[in-house]
Amino acid sequence: MRSIERILTLAVIVAVLGLAAAQTTLTVWMHDHPPRVPVDEELIAEFMAENPDIQVNYEVIPVADFDLRLYTAVAAGRGPDLFNQATFALGQFRAAGALAPLDVEAAGFGSREDFLAAYSTGAEGAVFDGTPYGIPTELSIYACYSNDELWEAAGLSPAEDFPTTWEEMIDVAETLTVRDDDGNPVQRGFDFNWTSPIFVWLQFNPMVTQLGGQLIDEDEFEATIDTPEVARVMRYWSDWVNEHRLGGPQYTGSRDAFLAGELATDCSFGNWGVPQMEDAGVDYSIHPVPRWSDAVNDNGFDKYGYYYLVNAYADEDVQEAAWKLAGFLAQHPDRYFEEAGLFQPRVEFVESEAFQQNEIMPVFFEEMEKSFFSPRIPGFNEVADGIARARDRVLGGAPVEETLERADSDVQGTLDRARREAERQ
């Protein structure tokens, strides 16, 4: 009897050890977005229950630490197997060979065409040379928020008077501006977001794109800054500060000023800004970003996305498990939108009654469909810094043509260096 029991016990142990040996361990890193975390945790637990051969180790990393930890780990050939990152970083990871192509079958899409057809827009943000490398976890874009109380106090109706062109914006902003005895704005009508070089991409760059130009040719990896289109936008921003005295980097950042009731219009919030408006007690309405009166392209500000990405250095079986998990999580756009405020543009969700009846999303979605992603390049942040320095030189009185010629050369050097460094990783 005892020998039989011993045999059965050993059989159970062997079976358990065999199961453990067959189990694939998957490491997932996500940046901290508190409303999203419980949704992730619940869905990952459900995924593991359905896939007992896959163990998921889920780690949430503070936003301030995420980029550096991720870059360092992946550059060393380690890091997470599955991670979430923005279009801003994709060029760097791709140049380093760190992105695994999307396994459409493992992710549950069947084919590349089925994957692209599953999204109304945004999937193209992680496509290079026709190959998808990521699944959207969030798509966002800015629109313009008006403080309706301040507009009405100035005798304007946001519904009827909101400017459709950048030329009109100057006069409307002046009407909304309240100045002190020295002519300095104490309430601005509108201002750009000057707080970080990232807004060179998200606000300045699309104004150039509207005119048919671009700051960087992503395909050729070339700076295209010394052009008439860039010069025109540079003069507009400089005149905004120096000639019209409607704002500038010396004032409180546009988002903080808007929420404090010191700015009548801001165009650097996405749909995620609504809770902040409500907390601040701002009576707001939402409007498309202006275009140039002679615009070549009907785009608003640049859109940006976050994607599930798989580490190309992971083992093949781990990559397959990672895409399987990513595809599973991507089947729940309604939960991520309702519980975490993250918009994933799956066709079935966009066409759902819940989305169609949403009060604020139509403006943002229409802008997304018309607009572009910023260039996905290695050295994304360094290039933005260089363009911002050129902008600031022009604000200080430097000649536009001379400044752009210098910036074009400097940024090209940054691009070449960033690509070489990424390729050495």
Side-chain angles (χ1 to χ4, degrees), residues 119-413:
Y119 290 88
S120 296
T121 185
E124 75 279 7
V127 174
F128 293 93
D129 298 329
T131 300
Y133 285 84
I135 301 175
T137 64
E138 174 189 355
L139 188 65
S140 191
I141 197 169
Y142 298 155
C144 296
Y145 286 75
S146 59
N147 183 318
D148 294 352
E149 183 178 351
L150 298 183
W151 276 65
E152 291 165 6
L156 295 176
S157 165
E160 298 177 4
D161 299 319
F162 199 90
T164 59
T165 69
W166 290 115
E167 292 87 349
E168 294 170 346
M169 178 62 92
I170 296 171
D171 292 334
V172 171
E174 180 59 49
T175 300
L176 292 164
T177 297
V178 177
R179 301 181 184 274
D180 62 19
D181 292 340
D182 295 323
N184 299 311
V186 294
Q187 173 189 295
R188 285 168 286 163
F190 165 72
D191 204 359
F192 297 101
N193 196 320
W194 306 85
T195 58
S196 169
I198 189 64
F199 297 105
V200 165
W201 291 123
L202 296 177
Q203 292 191 321
F204 189 99
N205 180 64
M207 291 178 69
V208 175
T209 307
Q210 288 177 356
L211 294 170
Q214 54 189 347
L215 290 173
I216 303 295
D217 185 329
E218 178 185 290
D219 294 331
E220 300 297 328
F221 209 66
E222 291 182 356
T224 51
I225 297 169
D226 188 13
T227 66
E229 295 82 11
V230 177
R232 180 171 168 184
V233 178
M234 192 70 78
R235 289 192 182 94
Y236 185 94
W237 281 48
S238 178
D239 289 347
W240 188 268
V241 174
N242 296 313
E243 179 181 341
H244 306 299
R245 299 176 64 191
L246 291 167
Q250 68 271 35
Y251 295 97
T252 302
S254 65
R255 290 177 180 171
D256 290 341
F258 186 83
L259 294 173
E262 300 168 359
L263 181 68
T265 313
D266 182 71
C267 300
S268 66
F269 284 100
N271 62 284
W272 41 262
V274 168
Q276 298 178 59
M277 308 296 157
E278 294 173 348
D279 289 344
V282 176
D283 181 18
Y284 68 91
S285 54
I286 302 174
H287 314 267
V289 167
R291 275 65 163 165
W292 295 101
S293 60
D294 57 345
V296 174
N297 293 312
D298 182 26
N299 61 281
F301 284 159
D302 278 356
K303 58 187 174 183
Y304 59 94
Y306 284 78
Y307 299 82
Y308 291 121
L309 304 165
V310 170
N311 193 333
Y313 301 126
D315 293 339
E316 289 187 8
D317 60 327
V318 175
Q319 290 186 27
E320 182 179 354
W323 285 124
K324 188 173 184 178
L325 173 60
F328 176 84
L329 295 174
Q331 294 173 17
H332 304 274
D334 52 341
R335 289 200 58 187
Y336 282 105
F337 184 75
E338 293 164 7
E339 300 175 41
L342 304 178
F343 173 52
Q344 300 176 2
R346 293 287 288 251
V347 169
E348 67 269 19
F349 177 60
V350 170
E351 294 178 349
S352 70
E353 184 177 355
F355 183 84
Q356 293 292 323
Q357 293 183 353
N358 187 279
E359 293 182 358
I360 67 164
M361 283 306 297
V363 172
F364 291 100
F365 185 64
E366 289 172 12
E367 290 285 84
M368 288 175 190
E369 288 191 303
K370 296 177 180 178
S371 299
F372 306 105
F373 288 102
S374 303
R376 302 162 303 170
I377 54 173
F380 185 91
N381 293 325
E382 293 85 351
V383 169
D385 288 341
I387 299 169
R389 288 194 296 272
R391 177 203 65 196
D392 293 344
R393 286 195 289 270
V394 171
L395 293 184
V400 172
E401 288 78 7
E402 178 183 316
T403 301
L404 294 187
E405 181 179 2
R406 174 182 169 185
D408 198 276
S409 177
D410 290 348
V411 167
Q412 186 62 55

Side-chain angles (χ1 to χ4, degrees), residues 105-119:
E105 292 187 7
F109 291 101
S111 69
R112 171 187 173 278
E113 291 71 25
D114 291 339
F115 164 69
L116 295 175
Y119 290 88

